[in-house]
Amino acid sequence: WVHLPSGRTYSTNYNIPKVPGFDDVTGEKLSQRDDDKPEIVKKRLENYDLMAQPLLDFYGNEYRSDSNQNCIVKVFSGTESDVIYPQIKRFMIQDMKLAPKQ
């Protein structure tokens, strides 16, 4: 959900509006983007699964980092970016030897 004039975004899982369907600041009605509608998200996830599954089948567990130190595929887990990002950052610095930007 988005308040179009300001660009403020809301979600049903986090940053939930105080009054469902209305902007917290102005009280104006929120809009739902077409690409955020459940049927569109469902289709997008189905397409992702169709594209990702051949890669997962090809690499299999032999190349996954949780079962092999010389991995090609690294698995990160979590449902929020503030959980996943530190894992990715640590992997890039420690395993890939990429220095963080100053």
Side-chain angles (χ1 to χ4, degrees), residues 5-6 10 13 20 31 38 45 51-52 54 64-65 72 77 82-84:
S6 69
Y10 299 89
N13 299 326
S31 298
L45 291 173
M51 291 187 298
R64 287 179 51 146
S65 64
I72 294 174
S77 62
D82 61 346
V83 172
I84 297 170

Side-chain angles (χ1 to χ4, degrees), residues 41-90:
V41 172
K42 181 178 185 268
K43 184 68 175 166
R44 201 165 56 224
L45 291 173
E46 288 170 354
N47 286 336
Y48 172 81
D49 287 341
L50 285 172
M51 291 187 298
Q53 193 59 53
L55 291 171
L56 296 172
D57 292 343
F58 176 79
Y59 288 110
N61 287 334
E62 180 179 345
Y63 295 103
R64 287 179 51 146
S65 64
D66 52 354
S67 62
N68 182 347
Q69 293 295 60
N70 298 317
C71 68
I72 294 174
V73 177
K74 173 70 176 166
V75 177
F76 302 100
S77 62
T79 58
E80 298 174 4
S81 60
D82 61 346
V83 172
I84 297 170
Y85 177 74
Q87 296 175 47
I88 294 170
K89 183 177 179 182
R90 188 171 35 257

Side-chain angles (χ1 to χ4, degrees), residues 14-50:
Y14 61 92
N15 197 31
I16 301 167
K18 293 173 187 165
V19 177
F22 294 90
D23 181 53
D24 289 349
V25 176
T26 66
E28 295 172 334
K29 195 165 177 71
L30 298 174
S31 298
Q32 186 177 31
R33 297 184 338 219
D34 285 341
D35 64 340
D36 277 345
K37 292 182 179 174
E39 60 275 8
I40 301 296
V41 172
K42 181 178 185 268
K43 184 68 175 166
R44 201 165 56 224
L45 291 173
E46 288 170 354
N47 286 336
Y48 172 81
D49 287 341
L50 285 172

